[in-house]
mmCIF file of all heavy atoms in Angstrom:
data_model
loop_
_atom_site.group_PDB
_atom_site.id
_atom_site.type_symbol
_atom_site.label_atom_id
_atom_site.label_comp_id
_atom_site.label_asym_id
_atom_site.label_seq_id
_atom_site.Cartn_x
_atom_site.Cartn_y
_atom_site.Cartn_z
ATOM 1 N N MET A 391 104.634 -19.627 9.644
ATOM 2 C CA MET A 391 103.970 -18.786 10.634
ATOM 3 C C MET A 391 103.070 -19.633 11.511
ATOM 4 O O MET A 391 102.379 -20.520 11.026
ATOM 5 C CB MET A 391 103.131 -17.697 9.931
ATOM 6 C CG MET A 391 103.963 -16.716 9.146
ATOM 7 S SD MET A 391 104.937 -15.682 10.252
ATOM 8 C CE MET A 391 103.635 -14.753 11.043
ATOM 9 N N PRO A 392 103.031 -19.396 12.810
ATOM 10 C CA PRO A 392 102.137 -20.130 13.693
ATOM 11 C C PRO A 392 100.709 -19.868 13.304
ATOM 12 O O PRO A 392 100.316 -18.758 12.964
ATOM 13 C CB PRO A 392 102.454 -19.559 15.089
ATOM 14 C CG PRO A 392 103.798 -18.915 14.950
ATOM 15 C CD PRO A 392 103.906 -18.466 13.555
ATOM 16 N N SER A 393 99.897 -20.915 13.397
ATOM 17 C CA SER A 393 98.512 -20.820 12.961
ATOM 18 C C SER A 393 97.531 -20.723 14.105
ATOM 19 O O SER A 393 96.361 -20.510 13.888
ATOM 20 C CB SER A 393 98.154 -22.041 12.098
ATOM 21 O OG SER A 393 98.349 -23.222 12.858
ATOM 22 N N THR A 394 97.979 -20.881 15.335
ATOM 23 C CA THR A 394 97.075 -20.830 16.474
ATOM 24 C C THR A 394 97.639 -19.871 17.504
ATOM 25 O O THR A 394 98.827 -19.619 17.539
ATOM 26 C CB THR A 394 96.888 -22.218 17.108
ATOM 27 O OG1 THR A 394 98.151 -22.623 17.639
ATOM 28 C CG2 THR A 394 96.401 -23.224 16.108
ATOM 29 N N PRO A 395 96.788 -19.355 18.373
ATOM 30 C CA PRO A 395 97.273 -18.454 19.405
ATOM 31 C C PRO A 395 98.293 -19.076 20.320
ATOM 32 O O PRO A 395 99.110 -18.407 20.878
ATOM 33 C CB PRO A 395 95.990 -18.086 20.162
ATOM 34 C CG PRO A 395 94.870 -18.360 19.236
ATOM 35 C CD PRO A 395 95.329 -19.477 18.380
ATOM 36 N N ALA A 396 98.245 -20.337 20.492
ATOM 37 C CA ALA A 396 99.182 -21.011 21.388
ATOM 38 C C ALA A 396 100.489 -21.329 20.711
ATOM 39 O O ALA A 396 101.357 -21.951 21.258
ATOM 40 C CB ALA A 396 98.548 -22.279 21.950
ATOM 41 N N GLY A 397 100.649 -20.929 19.506
ATOM 42 C CA GLY A 397 101.933 -21.125 18.841
ATOM 43 C C GLY A 397 102.017 -22.461 18.137
ATOM 44 O O GLY A 397 103.084 -22.979 17.863
ATOM 45 N N GLY A 398 100.893 -23.099 17.748
ATOM 46 C CA GLY A 398 100.935 -24.327 16.986
ATOM 47 C C GLY A 398 101.092 -25.560 17.808
ATOM 48 O O GLY A 398 101.590 -26.557 17.320
ATOM 49 N N GLU A 399 100.670 -25.571 19.093
ATOM 50 C CA GLU A 399 100.890 -26.752 19.903
ATOM 51 C C GLU A 399 100.050 -27.940 19.441
ATOM 52 O O GLU A 399 100.420 -29.075 19.660
ATOM 53 C CB GLU A 399 100.592 -26.455 21.377
ATOM 54 C CG GLU A 399 99.132 -26.220 21.715
ATOM 55 C CD GLU A 399 98.778 -24.745 21.657
ATOM 56 O OE1 GLU A 399 99.567 -23.997 21.047
ATOM 57 O OE2 GLU A 399 97.753 -24.354 22.218
ATOM 58 N N ASP A 400 98.941 -27.674 18.755
ATOM 59 C CA ASP A 400 98.090 -28.773 18.303
ATOM 60 C C ASP A 400 98.712 -29.524 17.130
ATOM 61 O O ASP A 400 98.239 -30.583 16.760
ATOM 62 C CB ASP A 400 96.705 -28.237 17.906
ATOM 63 C CG ASP A 400 95.923 -27.746 19.117
ATOM 64 O OD1 ASP A 400 96.202 -28.222 20.234
ATOM 65 O OD2 ASP A 400 95.042 -26.896 18.929
ATOM 66 N N GLU A 401 99.748 -28.959 16.503
ATOM 67 C CA GLU A 401 100.381 -29.615 15.371
ATOM 68 C C GLU A 401 101.455 -30.601 15.805
ATOM 69 O O GLU A 401 102.012 -31.303 14.984
ATOM 70 C CB GLU A 401 100.975 -28.569 14.416
ATOM 71 C CG GLU A 401 99.935 -27.636 13.801
ATOM 72 C CD GLU A 401 100.543 -26.698 12.781
ATOM 73 O OE1 GLU A 401 101.703 -26.942 12.368
ATOM 74 O OE2 GLU A 401 99.877 -25.730 12.388
ATOM 75 N N TRP A 402 101.773 -30.635 17.078
ATOM 76 C CA TRP A 402 102.789 -31.577 17.545
ATOM 77 C C TRP A 402 102.237 -32.993 17.572
ATOM 78 O O TRP A 402 101.087 -33.222 17.971
ATOM 79 C CB TRP A 402 103.253 -31.191 18.949
ATOM 80 C CG TRP A 402 104.195 -30.015 18.970
ATOM 81 C CD1 TRP A 402 103.861 -28.707 19.080
ATOM 82 C CD2 TRP A 402 105.614 -30.070 18.850
ATOM 83 N NE1 TRP A 402 104.977 -27.923 19.036
ATOM 84 C CE2 TRP A 402 106.081 -28.734 18.909
ATOM 85 C CE3 TRP A 402 106.545 -31.099 18.701
ATOM 86 C CZ2 TRP A 402 107.425 -28.406 18.828
ATOM 87 C CZ3 TRP A 402 107.891 -30.767 18.628
ATOM 88 C CH2 TRP A 402 108.328 -29.445 18.684
ATOM 89 N N ASP A 403 103.061 -33.909 17.162
ATOM 90 C CA ASP A 403 102.672 -35.310 17.198
ATOM 91 C C ASP A 403 102.560 -35.773 18.653
ATOM 92 O O ASP A 403 103.395 -35.409 19.487
ATOM 93 C CB ASP A 403 103.711 -36.154 16.450
ATOM 94 C CG ASP A 403 103.294 -37.608 16.336
ATOM 95 O OD1 ASP A 403 102.604 -37.934 15.372
ATOM 96 O OD2 ASP A 403 103.683 -38.387 17.233
ATOM 97 N N PRO A 404 101.520 -36.515 19.000
ATOM 98 C CA PRO A 404 101.388 -36.983 20.392
ATOM 99 C C PRO A 404 102.624 -37.710 20.897
ATOM 100 O O PRO A 404 102.938 -37.655 22.086
ATOM 101 C CB PRO A 404 100.165 -37.909 20.338
ATOM 102 C CG PRO A 404 99.362 -37.412 19.174
ATOM 103 C CD PRO A 404 100.366 -36.926 18.179
ATOM 104 N N MET A 405 103.317 -38.408 19.994
ATOM 105 C CA MET A 405 104.533 -39.102 20.402
ATOM 106 C C MET A 405 105.616 -38.119 20.842
ATOM 107 O O MET A 405 106.342 -38.361 21.816
ATOM 108 C CB MET A 405 105.046 -39.960 19.249
ATOM 109 C CG MET A 405 106.002 -41.053 19.684
ATOM 110 S SD MET A 405 105.148 -42.330 20.626
ATOM 111 C CE MET A 405 104.072 -42.977 19.367
ATOM 112 N N ALA A 406 105.713 -36.974 20.137
ATOM 113 C CA ALA A 406 106.697 -35.958 20.503
ATOM 114 C C ALA A 406 106.347 -35.326 21.853
ATOM 115 O O ALA A 406 107.226 -35.068 22.679
ATOM 116 C CB ALA A 406 106.777 -34.888 19.413
ATOM 117 N N VAL A 407 105.044 -35.101 22.075
ATOM 118 C CA VAL A 407 104.616 -34.520 23.358
ATOM 119 C C VAL A 407 104.923 -35.483 24.504
ATOM 120 O O VAL A 407 105.422 -35.087 25.563
ATOM 121 C CB VAL A 407 103.118 -34.176 23.308
ATOM 122 C CG1 VAL A 407 102.648 -33.662 24.667
ATOM 123 C CG2 VAL A 407 102.838 -33.141 22.225
ATOM 124 N N SER A 408 104.644 -36.752 24.285
ATOM 125 C CA SER A 408 104.905 -37.743 25.320
ATOM 126 C C SER A 408 106.396 -37.849 25.621
ATOM 127 O O SER A 408 106.805 -37.940 26.789
ATOM 128 C CB SER A 408 104.364 -39.105 24.882
ATOM 129 O OG SER A 408 104.609 -40.086 25.861
ATOM 130 N N ARG A 409 107.222 -37.816 24.585
ATOM 131 C CA ARG A 409 108.674 -37.889 24.803
ATOM 132 C C ARG A 409 109.182 -36.637 25.519
ATOM 133 O O ARG A 409 110.064 -36.705 26.379
ATOM 134 C CB ARG A 409 109.373 -38.059 23.450
ATOM 135 C CG ARG A 409 110.890 -38.143 23.540
ATOM 136 C CD ARG A 409 111.344 -39.289 24.388
ATOM 137 N NE ARG A 409 112.802 -39.419 24.400
ATOM 138 C CZ ARG A 409 113.501 -39.995 25.348
ATOM 139 N NH1 ARG A 409 112.882 -40.502 26.412
ATOM 140 N NH2 ARG A 409 114.816 -40.093 25.263
ATOM 141 N N PHE A 410 108.597 -35.495 25.165
ATOM 142 C CA PHE A 410 108.971 -34.246 25.832
ATOM 143 C C PHE A 410 108.619 -34.305 27.320
ATOM 144 O O PHE A 410 109.370 -33.820 28.170
ATOM 145 C CB PHE A 410 108.249 -33.077 25.155
ATOM 146 C CG PHE A 410 108.621 -31.726 25.692
ATOM 147 C CD1 PHE A 410 109.928 -31.261 25.640
ATOM 148 C CD2 PHE A 410 107.654 -30.906 26.268
ATOM 149 C CE1 PHE A 410 110.272 -30.026 26.142
ATOM 150 C CE2 PHE A 410 107.991 -29.664 26.772
ATOM 151 C CZ PHE A 410 109.298 -29.219 26.704
#
Side-chain angles (χ1 to χ4, degrees):
M391 295 291 293
S393 59
T394 65
E399 69 267 17
D400 291 335
E401 298 185 14
W402 283 90
D403 186 88
M405 199 69 65
V407 176
S408 180
R409 180 59 176 156
F410 184 60

